[in-house]
Amino acid sequence: MSLKLTVSDEVRALVPGFTHLAIEARGLVNGPSDATSSALLDEAAGRLAARLDGRTPDQDPHVAAWRAAYTAFGAKPSRTRNSAEALARRASADGGLPRINRLVDAYNAISVAHLIPVGGEDLNRIEGGMRLVRATGEEEFVTVAGGEETVEHPEPGEIVWCDERGVTCRRWNWRQGPRTRIDDDTTDALFLLESLAPMTREELLTAGQELVDALLKVSPGALITVRDPA
């Protein structure tokens, strides 16, 4: 059964035109980064450089739209960057893109190539459905600081993804919690591609298909379902 995803009316009202594309993949086989996943990241970095053509990531229209969205709910986009901008900046730095594991490398590559926030969640660690809401400030976000598990609370009005247990990602797509992240043991996963205007539906679907292709490269035989953008 597919995971239920909902976007609150408050979020829709604050950021009109937000669209997400959900992709479910089952029967995945993950593991440490390898030549295949590294090649996906290298290709993505090259595509990013061609797209930016000497500009900084924040000058890209889609990244600029995400900066405006962050500002709308009270975040400072230069201090807490959306995930696409953060990865793009790393791709342009001397150290380049990080190698995490095959599945994370695959979706990070799509994020960088298309300058779109892409997230991945372990389906078997999500409790109930997932909701994109404006936080009350009472929700719990379990994270790790200094090697120790700690509980944070989002700021009131902050946009967060959450399930029945608590927040899974703070400030929309800024920081994912460790509870649901994809690791070497993940076999079933949900991938979310999140877009704002001026990115078109066709561009979003193209990025989604490239993610499907990338997942099948790093984990052949996976069963993948692409939902309609919503």
Side-chain angles (χ1 to χ4, degrees):
M1 185 174 66
S2 293
L3 180 76
K4 184 177 180 180
L5 293 167
T6 57
V7 178
S8 74
D9 292 340
E10 285 186 314
V11 172
R12 297 284 191 196
L14 187 69
V15 188
F18 167 65
T19 306
H20 67 272
L21 177 64
I23 297 175
E24 289 188 17
R26 300 180 185 274
L28 294 162
V29 178
N30 200 12
S33 302
D34 60 12
T36 299
S37 67
S38 289
L40 290 171
L41 290 169
D42 289 341
E43 179 191 8
R47 291 171 64 181
L48 173 68
R51 173 173 176 152
L52 292 177
D53 191 23
R55 297 175 299 157
T56 55
D58 58 286
Q59 294 174 302
D60 181 88
H62 196 224
V63 173
W66 275 104
R67 282 181 155 244
Y70 269 47
T71 300
F73 69 80
K76 293 180 171 60
S78 293
R79 189 174 68 184
T80 55
R81 296 181 175 90
N82 70 83
S83 63
E85 181 180 355
L87 274 176
R89 289 173 65 88
R90 293 193 70 172
S92 303
D94 290 341
L97 289 166
R99 272 54 175 171
I100 308 298
N101 58 54
R102 291 198 296 268
L103 296 178
V104 174
D105 291 353
Y107 78 72
N108 279 349
I110 300 307
S111 178
V112 169
H114 291 269
L115 272 180
I116 178 175
V118 182
E121 306 280 354
D122 189 309
L123 276 171
N124 296 317
R125 297 173 188 161
I126 296 171
E127 298 190 14
M130 286 185 63
R131 297 169 288 121
L132 186 66
V133 301
R134 301 199 71 181
T136 65
E138 298 298 319
E139 299 89 348
E140 292 190 351
F141 177 71
V142 180
T143 187
V144 176
E148 298 291 332
E149 185 176 286
T150 184
V151 177
E152 299 177 355
H153 298 276
E155 298 171 5
E158 181 181 325
I159 294 180
V160 296
W161 278 104
C162 58
D163 64 3
E164 296 303 320
R165 184 169 169 183
V167 174
T168 59
C169 195
R170 285 199 59 189
R171 292 181 187 144
W172 210 323
N173 45 45
W174 167 63
R175 182 192 291 172
Q176 183 185 31
R179 172 171 60 89
T180 60
R181 69 186 173 195
I182 290 172
D183 60 21
D184 287 356
D185 296 324
T186 297
T187 58
D188 304 318
L190 171 76
F191 301 92
L192 277 177
L193 296 83
E194 301 182 295
S195 72
L196 299 170
M199 190 175 210
T200 65
R201 176 186 173 92
E202 290 70 26
E203 290 171 332
L204 176 60
L205 288 169
T206 296
Q209 185 56 55
E210 286 190 18
L211 177 56
V212 171
D213 295 341
L215 292 172
L216 290 174
K217 283 182 180 179
V218 300
S219 183
L223 301 177
I224 301 177
T225 302
V226 181
R227 300 196 199 177
D228 290 333

